[in-house]
Amino acid sequence: MKSKRIILIFLFLLGYNIAKSQNCKHTFSGLVEDFHDKSPIVGATVFIKNQNKYATTNFEGKFSIDNVCAGKIIVEVSHVACEPQVLELNISKNTYKIIDLEHHEEELNEVNVKGAIGKKTKTAQETLLKSETLEKFSDGTLGDAIKNISGVSSINTGNSIVKPVINGLHSSRVLISFNNVRLQDQEWGVEHAPNIDINTAESISVIKGANALQYGGDAIGGVVIINPTKNSIEKDTLYGKSIISQQSNGRLFSVTSSLSKSYKNGWFINGQASFKRAGDFEAANYNLTNSGINSKAFTISTGNKQFEKGFELFYSYLTNEIGILRASHFGNISDLVNAINSPQPSIIDEFSYDINNPRQDVTHQLLKATYYKRFKAFGKLSLQYDFQVNNRLEFDRRIGDRANLQAVDLDLKSHSFKADLNLDSDPEHVYKFGINAFYQNNFSDPITRVRRLIPDYDRFSFGAYAIANLKFDDLTVSGGLRYDLEHIDAKKFYLQSRWNSLNYQNDFSHIVIDPNVSGSQLLANPKFTYHNISASLGATYDLDENNSFTVNYGLANRAPNPSELFSDGLHHSAARIELGDLRMKTETSNRVSATYKFNNDKFNITVEGFYNHIKDFIYIEPSGQETTNRGAFPVWSYRQVNAQLFGVDTNIQYQINNNFLLTNKSSLLKGRDLSGDRALIDIPPFKTTSAIVFKKENWNSFYASLESEFNARQNEYPNNNFNAFIPTLNNTVLVDVSTPPSAYHLLNFSSGFQFNVSKTKFSVNLFVDNVLNKSYRNYLNRLRFFADDLGRNFKIQLKINY
């Protein structure tokens, strides 16, 4: 016992002498300031970790720590809402250090307008969908997920080809940005779905109208911004998740997994992969033959992200094999009339996972490289290059040696470079400038042995924009201006008869390269150049703690796309002849909108109204029939008129008590052809969706929801019916391609709960769509002429977070 005391006393004296022999008389002092505007940061903590000494900055942002020992010190500087910074310094004398913190990071990257955390704009009509909502659609499509937003619907070709419609506008008028890359994938076709795997998204922003100028000036309908998972900065993390789904309708199975790893030195690597397969889906009373899907996708990204600089490499791959309802593919007008008049599809086979012709095979690849650099008291410069390849194959029901030969083979290659400068040194006055250059080549492979619907072309564009976001107490003002130049250079074969019937010989004789090509054709070289100006101006005013009001104006110009200019021939997957027009001019949209928001603890309401006048609006509609060597087909022609669209969208939530929530989303939209004084085609009818939700957090986060969805009949539509001669009947009959289907009402149910096993979180969700197995047809489903929409569907989903 006595020996132990002697040893302890000896160790104490030894440690005391070592400490006394160290030089611990230095002073470490300095200034902690904001990286952006160099203003002092008050109340920051400066902690010397290996000497257990700390200080707090004063009102001038200064600090001082005495009695610091010589040698290496590890200093951690932290402040509320700031990214902590760790420094390693060698102390041999009194040391003064200026330390920069990212004080405004949360404020600048996530807009602090009330109820708008995480949004991309300050004054536009924008809705943000977060991961917990998107995960419910892991086995669905982008269009399925965002059509739950009021004012957003979808235009479908069956249930697997789903395109978003924003306030009545779709296709080239809706810009899709994926990981800050504008998606290029022949978006002009109604039956061309966006090539996006919904599971790559951490969040999605949907902006109504062309008020996000940094993404493009031609988004007359709106912008869909898909944000992948954010990478941690200078943190050691490893996390991931998997979602497994199985549903009864179509016997669909899907699985998606993601894994992210980051390091304290800023390096990271992320990976994600998805697989989905379904056979024939079912309507309420019959099988939808050849409506399956086989989809595979993956993404991988790596790079180094630090506060002041960083870079990222990103690659995405997606391939979709999609069956087109067999009964929708016909060979002539007689088949079309019979299909329209039949109460059920003309072809109904037993369930199968086989995907036969007609079908689509689409592969999309994207490669992106980015670099950014922050400059003190100035801003952030970002540089980006991206490359996309989109290959689209469409297979018709052909015979003989062409039975398995594609009827459409389009290869679209796109290169883009852009530079953005964000001046954010003053968080109350933020300015952003950017330029982009773009080149695209479309190759239509003649291997198809049919006349090309879309010709070969080269497309060049250049854009520049400037945006200002200004904050004045309760008023936020945003404004922007953008210029875009677009040039398209195509080479196209025309039938002499078509050329003459369109009177091109008078207006476009100067573009003919070869007037006498075999097969009674000529070769032309159309070239078009467009100069477009876009602008936006908006303001949000917080009336008080609960009420806010937003007004916005947007000017957008959209050049006609290749389909609208050059379509000329039989579109096999649509079973119709489509005719473009070289005389198409730029569309000009003037859109005004207003939004009122009320929020308190129990009641939230958002009311959005808009009016959109579009000069030279381009649309396609039935215009008659034409007989080819394949038979007689309906002709759809592109037209150009002056149009207007206006509507109101509402979103209401009422928290009855801690457990029950009532919600309602409604949309009313009107569209008119002002030139012809008639309704516009393909305008979504009135829709209202209500739900009652029960939640009990202490029951393993249990919830249950019953949803009521009512879709009215579209009573305002143009009459595009036409008369066609049926040889088998030796008679002329009316082909009704206009009359909308009846209104319908659906009930949907969902429920779920969570539980933990060790450090792993499990979520189980059950969904029942169309609970009553209702037979119905959607006005915006192109296959509504031939079959009902989907019947009852049970789905179970397991999510694992690890």
Side-chain angles (χ1 to χ4, degrees):
M1 188 71 176
K2 184 176 181 180
S3 60
K4 288 184 178 179
R5 289 179 182 176
I6 293 173
I7 292 172
L8 289 174
I9 292 171
F10 174 77
L11 293 174
F12 174 78
L13 292 174
L14 178 63
Y16 175 79
N17 289 330
I18 292 174
K20 188 174 181 181
S21 65
Q22 284 186 307
N23 185 356
C24 296
K25 297 181 180 180
H26 300 308
T27 298
F28 176 55
S29 61
L31 170 67
V32 179
E33 61 183 10
D34 185 277
F35 180 89
H36 299 280
D37 59 13
K38 313 303 288 183
S39 62
I41 294 180
V42 180
T45 299
V46 182
F47 177 51
I48 303 178
K49 299 176 70 173
N50 58 334
Q51 295 189 22
N52 198 29
K53 297 176 181 179
Y54 70 93
T56 303
T57 58
N58 60 20
F59 286 101
E60 295 179 335
K62 296 180 179 181
F63 68 92
S64 180
I65 303 176
D66 297 325
N67 300 321
V68 177
C69 299
K72 180 180 177 180
I73 64 171
I74 300 174
V75 182
E76 182 178 76
V77 186
S78 59
H79 185 264
V80 177
C82 292
E83 185 71 25
Q85 189 170 159
V86 177
L87 307 173
E88 292 187 2
L89 303 171
N90 287 310
I91 300 296
S92 60
K93 59 182 179 179
N94 293 342
T95 302
Y96 183 87
K97 179 72 174 176
I98 297 177
I99 303 171
D100 295 298
L101 284 186
E102 167 65 346
H103 184 245
H104 303 305
E105 181 179 20
E106 296 301 320
E107 185 172 9
L108 291 174
N109 292 339
E110 308 222 332
V111 182
N112 281 335
V113 178
K114 189 178 301 180
I117 300 299
K119 292 185 179 180
K120 299 295 182 180
T121 60
K122 292 181 180 291
T123 61
Q125 292 179 329
E126 179 179 358
T127 302
L128 181 70
L129 297 179
K130 297 185 178 180
S131 58
E132 54 265 30
T133 300
L134 299 174
E135 287 168 351
K136 297 177 182 179
F137 299 93
S138 66
D139 55 357
T141 69
L142 173 68
D144 292 326
I146 68 174
K147 71 180 181 181
N148 290 276
I149 297 172
S150 59
V152 180
S153 52
S154 65
I155 189 164
N156 296 29
T157 302
N159 54 282
S160 298
I161 301 176
V162 185
K163 294 178 70 73
V165 179
I166 301 178
N167 288 150
L169 301 174
H170 58 85
S171 300
S172 292
R173 299 181 185 91
V174 173
L175 186 159
I176 297 176
S177 174
F178 173 41
N179 196 13
N180 204 34
V181 176
R182 177 167 180 165
L183 197 66
Q184 303 289 342
D185 61 352
Q186 300 115 351
E187 74 279 4
W188 54 75
V190 170
E191 74 287 357
H192 297 179
N195 290 301
I196 291 292
D197 175 16
I198 189 70
N199 296 292
T200 62
E202 178 72 15
S203 65
I204 295 179
S205 292
V206 178
I207 302 170
K208 300 173 183 177
N211 298 108
L213 295 183
Q214 73 182 82
Y215 299 97
D218 56 347
I220 291 177
V223 181
V224 179
I225 303 170
I226 300 167
N227 309 298
T229 302
K230 293 181 180 179
N231 299 297
S232 300
I233 298 178
E234 300 181 71
K235 291 182 180 179
D236 280 324
T237 60
L238 176 64
Y239 59 92
K241 69 177 179 181
S242 295
I243 302 177
I244 303 170
S245 298
Q246 177 73 60
Q247 70 178 44
S248 60
N249 202 325
R251 305 181 194 179
L252 183 149
F253 172 79
S254 76
V255 59
T256 179
S257 290
S258 62
L259 191 64
S260 299
K261 171 64 178 174
S262 62
Y263 301 87
K264 289 181 66 175
N265 60 8
W267 285 95
F268 68 89
I269 183 168
N270 299 327
Q272 179 269 333
S274 300
F275 170 76
K276 176 171 63 176
R277 187 186 183 194
D280 297 334
F281 290 89
E282 298 176 356
N285 300 308
Y286 46 78
N287 197 44
L288 300 171
T289 301
N290 200 53
S291 59
I293 183 172
N294 191 343
S295 177
K296 306 178 188 70
F298 74 88
T299 62
I300 187 168
S301 64
T302 187
N304 185 283
K305 286 192 174 183
Q306 300 179 37
F307 172 64
E308 292 193 30
K309 63 181 179 180
F311 75 93
E312 178 187 10
L313 297 175
F314 176 86
Y315 176 75
S316 169
Y317 175 90
L318 179 142
T319 179
N320 282 330
E321 184 183 17
I322 304 173
I324 307 295
L325 181 71
R326 178 64 185 90
S328 72
H329 209 75
F330 39 84
N332 51 51
I333 287 291
S334 179
D335 292 342
L336 172 62
V337 172
N338 291 334
I340 291 175
N341 293 333
S342 174
Q344 64 182 36
S346 57
I347 299 174
I348 302 176
D349 294 333
E350 294 296 320
F351 172 86
S352 174
Y353 277 107
D354 295 338
I355 299 178
N356 300 307
N357 297 343
R359 61 186 170 91
Q360 296 181 2
D361 285 351
V362 185
T363 300
H364 187 88
Q365 300 180 75
L366 184 157
L367 176 66
K368 184 188 84 164
T370 59
Y371 172 81
Y372 68 86
K373 171 69 176 176
R374 284 190 172 96
F375 300 92
K376 294 181 182 180
F378 185 66
K380 177 182 176 182
L381 174 66
S382 301
L383 304 175
Q384 177 176 305
Y385 165 77
D386 59 79
F387 172 62
Q388 298 179 68
V389 180
N390 196 82
N391 181 243
R392 167 171 289 274
L393 306 177
E394 297 182 0
F395 294 84
D396 188 15
R397 295 282 296 182
R398 307 171 79 177
I399 59 175
D401 62 346
R402 302 186 183 186
N404 295 312
L405 184 64
Q406 60 266 36
V408 172
D409 189 331
L410 298 176
D411 201 30
L412 193 70
K413 296 180 179 179
S414 307
H415 302 261
S416 178
F417 170 80
K418 62 182 178 180
D420 298 292
L421 179 62
N422 192 27
L423 305 182
D424 57 6
S425 60
D426 180 357
E428 304 295 318
H429 300 82
V430 178
Y431 303 91
K432 193 164 189 177
F433 305 90
I435 59 172
N436 71 276
F438 175 81
Y439 167 70
Q440 184 178 80
N441 171 262
N442 181 73
F443 175 66
S444 184
D445 198 327
I447 193 175
T448 60
R449 295 161 68 180
V450 295
R451 293 185 67 248
R452 307 178 203 189
L453 179 68
I454 302 294
D456 298 345
Y457 67 81
D458 292 304
R459 183 177 158 211
F460 309 86
S461 68
F462 172 81
Y465 72 88
I467 298 172
N469 293 307
L470 310 176
K471 178 75 173 174
F472 308 97
D473 295 327
D474 295 327
L475 177 67
T476 301
V477 179
S478 298
L481 187 66
R482 184 182 177 103
Y483 165 76
D484 286 287
L485 179 149
E486 183 168 325
H487 177 78
I488 189 166
D489 183 346
K491 285 186 171 63
K492 176 167 176 56
F493 292 95
Y494 282 93
L495 293 173
Q496 292 277 3
S497 57
R498 181 86 70 206
W499 184 269
N500 294 331
S501 67
L502 295 172
N503 293 318
Y504 283 170
Q505 68 274 16
N506 296 326
D507 298 333
F508 298 103
S509 59
H510 62 284
I511 69 172
V512 176
I513 300 175
D514 186 348
N516 295 301
V517 180
S518 61
S520 300
Q521 297 184 94
L522 60 83
L523 177 62
N525 181 204
K527 295 181 180 180
F528 299 98
T529 301
Y530 306 93
H531 301 272
N532 294 326
I533 298 292
S534 304
S536 67
L537 180 64
T540 294
Y541 182 66
D542 293 329
L543 302 173
D544 55 34
E545 190 179 64
N546 305 116
N547 296 271
S548 66
F549 190 71
T550 298
V551 293
N552 202 281
Y553 165 75
L555 166 68
N557 285 279
R558 183 185 72 89
N561 65 43
S563 180
E564 295 160 342
L565 289 169
F566 305 128
S567 288
D568 177 24
L570 182 61
H571 194 168
H572 291 262
S573 69
R576 68 191 189 191
I577 294 171
E578 296 181 0
L579 298 180
D581 194 334
L582 295 178
R583 301 182 182 90
M584 290 294 174
K585 297 179 288 187
T586 295
E587 286 183 340
T588 300
S589 165
N590 285 275
R591 186 182 190 271
V592 293
S593 63
T595 302
Y596 168 73
K597 292 184 179 181
F598 174 82
N599 299 288
N600 66 14
D601 293 338
K602 281 190 168 290
F603 187 67
N604 298 332
I605 181 171
T606 300
V607 180
E608 299 178 335
F610 79 96
Y611 175 83
N612 194 357
H613 181 277
I614 306 177
K615 180 183 178 183
D616 297 320
F617 177 74
I618 303 171
Y619 69 102
I620 190 171
E621 68 175 0
S623 58
Q625 67 162 337
E626 186 172 307
T627 301
T628 72
N629 57 4
R630 289 286 314 281
F633 291 91
V635 177
W636 287 61
S637 301
Y638 283 98
R639 311 290 195 197
Q640 197 156 34
V641 299
N642 292 332
Q644 68 176 11
L645 297 101
F646 57 92
V648 177
D649 305 323
T650 62
N651 192 344
I652 302 172
Q653 291 187 352
Y654 177 63
Q655 190 76 47
I656 301 174
N657 54 38
N658 291 335
N659 301 121
F660 285 94
L661 173 71
L662 283 176
T663 68
N664 176 268
K665 299 175 183 178
S666 299
S667 297
L668 175 65
L669 177 66
K670 300 289 184 180
R672 297 291 296 176
D673 168 4
L674 299 177
S675 301
D677 191 24
R678 60 176 189 159
L680 285 176
I681 194 171
D682 291 337
I683 297 299
F686 171 74
K687 177 181 177 180
T688 183
T689 302
S690 299
I692 182 167
V693 183
F694 173 79
K695 292 184 178 180
K696 193 74 171 178
E697 290 295 327
N698 57 2
W699 291 0
N700 290 322
S701 299
F702 174 82
Y703 80 93
S705 172
L706 182 64
E707 179 185 80
S708 166
E709 176 187 332
F710 174 75
N711 289 262
R713 182 181 186 272
Q714 178 55 274
N715 293 317
E716 299 180 12
Y717 59 93
N719 185 352
N720 297 123
N721 299 334
F722 59 92
N723 292 312
F725 178 74
I726 308 297
T728 55
L729 300 177
N730 195 29
N731 193 16
T732 299
V733 301
L734 180 70
V735 183
D736 187 354
V737 292
S738 301
T739 305
S742 301
Y744 60 91
H745 174 252
L746 304 177
L747 288 178
N748 306 307
F749 174 79
S750 63
S751 182
F753 61 93
Q754 297 178 2
F755 61 94
N756 296 331
V757 177
S758 186
K759 295 182 179 180
T760 302
K761 180 186 291 185
F762 292 83
S763 300
V764 179
N765 296 291
L766 172 68
F767 305 89
V768 186
D769 299 322
N770 193 0
V771 173
L772 301 180
N773 204 28
K774 175 76 175 180
S775 296
Y776 69 98
R777 301 194 180 193
N778 189 324
Y779 175 60
L780 291 187
N781 190 335
R782 195 178 65 82
L783 301 187
R784 66 180 172 86
F785 300 109
F786 319 112
D788 292 341
D789 269 87
L790 296 186
R792 185 188 295 117
N793 179 44
F794 293 92
K795 180 176 76 173
I796 188 166
Q797 181 189 81
L798 172 65
K799 183 180 73 170
I800 309 169
N801 287 91
Y802 42 85

